[in-house]
Amino acid sequence: MRVLGIETSCDETAAAVVGRDAAGRPAIHSSIVLSQAGDHAAFGGVVPEIAARAHVEALDRVIAAALRDAGLAIGDIDAVSATGGPGLVGGLMVGMTTGKAIAAARSVPFLAVNHLEGHALTAVLTDGIPFPYLLLLVSGGHTQIVLVRGLGRYERWGTTIDDALGEAFDKTASLLSLGFPGGPAVEAAAARGDPRRIELPRPMIGQPNCNFSFSGLKTAVRMEASRREPVAEGDVADLCAAFQESVCASLADRIDRAFSRFRAEFPDASDPTLVVAGGVAANRRIRALLSERCAKEAWRLVAPPPKLCGDNAAMIAFAGMLRLERGERSASDVAPRSRWPLDEQADALIGSGRRGMKA
Ligand code: KG4
Ligand code: ZN
């Protein structure tokens, strides 16, 4: 089985081919990710119309490159899967329409995949980990702790009640004039700063749930910055360092709570595993914190390589392949969904996923 995956839900145009090797293990034959970040930088965020147009212009080339890298022709593809949501509808339409057209022309199955499911299952693709496991998904549009029981069986244990973590990094960068996307810039500035000189709040610590909140922290950064106008380079570094430490303290508390809950629900689990995914998982300070927590609590930490933590199509091809192997396929009139929670039972929290366009 060789599945062509297509990802166009936000500002990356991506295509990949995933299959299985002779031993039945999943294998990534190719994965091409073309970032549109440069197209959106001047606007300080992703502009939906620009994103959709850029996907139209790039997708055919990106698919051709994915096939070429895999050493395959379009006729070698057994199925096509494309992100069906959540995300920006314009971009989703481009990917789904292209995917459906290829599937129809080749008479192979088509599957619309949940982008969050792609992130959730990446560690199964890269590390072959068994179910159940805990997932910390930290990206530009989502901040969630999810119990992954199996394919299609997700329980959301915690989510943000306001901003996503990547969004908080981006907004902090923007108000300190560090550019977009802000996460890597904040991390770089933080490495030069003193995390103790400026005191910032540490949100949600001690709350009896696994939820997150970052808008108060962002406001505190704004107030500390405006008090120091014009903000000197040293202050920018110290603010970034303090911001990152507050984020880490909050994440540590939320993760510890999720660990306790997992232990209570699965007292016999011998090798409890935490998977971290999403663009923010590229942050080295956050990775170090998670390693330290996991080592202390005897958890295994699985962090897919940064290329597969951020948005990509290999995760979409893989999720599609698992569902196809289970006999599923999408109807030809399946429509894109701007909102598509992983856990359909969980209540929508006020303010969460406000942007609703990045995952
Ligand atoms: O998962 P992703 O590539 O795209 C979606 O959000 O769908 O995540 C992008 C987010 C952005 O908000 C970006 O600022 C953040 O991940 N990010 C980081 C780092 N690298 C990317 N945040 C903190 N530290 C980083 N090194
Ligand atoms: Zn994503």
Side-chain angles (χ1 to χ4, degrees):
M1 165 97 83
R2 292 189 195 104
V3 180
L4 171 68
I6 298 173
E7 157 62 37
T8 53
S9 67
C10 193
D11 60 346
E12 263 99 21
T13 312
V17 180
V18 167
R20 291 196 182 275
D21 65 16
R25 284 181 303 249
I28 301 176
H29 297 306
S30 65
S31 178
I32 306 282
V33 179
L34 181 71
S35 171
Q36 304 174 357
D39 298 342
H40 303 285
F43 304 95
V46 178
V47 183
E49 291 76 10
I50 293 178
R53 178 158 297 266
H55 289 307
V56 170
E57 282 166 8
L59 187 55
D60 288 355
R61 264 188 298 133
V62 169
I63 291 173
L67 289 170
R68 196 170 51 239
D69 269 18
L72 299 172
I74 192 75
D76 300 322
I77 293 300
D78 300 305
V80 183
S81 73
T83 304
L88 297 168
V89 169
L92 293 170
M93 299 252 284
V94 175
M96 285 179 76
T97 308
T98 304
K100 284 181 191 178
I102 294 172
R106 305 298 323 166
S107 301
V108 297
F110 171 78
L111 222 116
V113 166
N114 184 318
H115 177 89
L116 301 174
E117 177 165 79
H119 280 304
L121 299 175
T122 298
V124 178
L125 167 65
T126 56
D127 293 76
I129 62 164
F131 301 116
Y133 56 85
L134 267 188
L135 166 74
L136 172 67
L137 175 60
V138 276
S139 71
H142 290 267
T143 305
Q144 301 189 350
I145 295 177
V146 177
L147 171 68
V148 181
R149 286 186 187 273
L151 176 64
R153 297 171 63 214
Y154 312 103
E155 248 172 64
R156 195 192 70 199
W157 282 7
T159 187
T160 178
I161 58 170
D162 41 58
D163 294 351
L165 183 52
E167 191 180 1
F169 268 94
D170 292 338
K171 287 181 176 170
T172 295
S174 144
L175 66 94
L176 296 173
S177 305
L178 292 174
F180 172 86
V186 170
E187 181 181 359
R192 298 188 294 269
D194 173 359
R196 282 171 301 273
R197 192 169 69 84
I198 301 170
E199 209 171 304
L200 293 175
R202 304 190 152 194
M204 302 302 271
I205 287 180
Q207 292 284 320
N209 54 45
C210 298
N211 288 335
F212 300 90
S213 166
F214 296 107
S215 80
L217 176 58
K218 172 195 69 193
T219 305
V221 173
R222 173 174 298 127
M223 282 161 60
E224 291 292 342
S226 62
R227 195 179 299 163
R228 290 171 168 79
E229 277 311 334
V231 192
E233 212 179 304
D235 285 344
V236 169
D238 290 350
L239 271 169
C240 287
F243 167 81
Q244 201 168 261
E245 284 316 296
S246 283
V247 164
C248 284
S250 184
L251 282 180
D253 182 79
R254 310 287 74 204
I255 287 292
D256 282 353
R257 207 160 273 274
F259 282 176
S260 306
R261 181 168 168 188
F262 187 95
R263 290 267 193 218
E265 290 197 19
F266 301 95
D268 303 326
S270 58
D271 190 17
T273 302
L274 173 69
V275 172
V276 58
V280 183
N283 185 290
R284 273 156 298 188
R285 176 71 189 95
I286 291 175
R287 281 188 178 230
L289 165 95
L290 296 174
S291 307
E292 182 249 318
R293 296 314 305 163
C294 285
K296 184 151 180 290
E297 304 292 329
W299 276 63
R300 175 177 173 205
L301 176 66
V302 174
K307 272 200 326 260
L308 293 171
C309 276
D311 287 349
N312 66 88
M315 68 182 192
I316 301 303
F318 179 62
M321 181 170 83
L322 295 186
R323 288 192 170 270
L324 283 156
E325 286 171 343
R326 223 165 60 168
E328 294 178 31
R329 57 172 69 196
S330 296
S332 57
D333 62 350
V334 59
R337 295 176 63 174
S338 61
R339 211 181 148 272
W340 186 356
L342 255 191
D343 177 354
E344 307 255 12
Q345 312 311 313
D347 298 332
L349 288 189
I350 300 160
S352 68
R354 212 162 19 123
R355 213 165 40 148
M357 60 186 204
K358 295 199 82 188

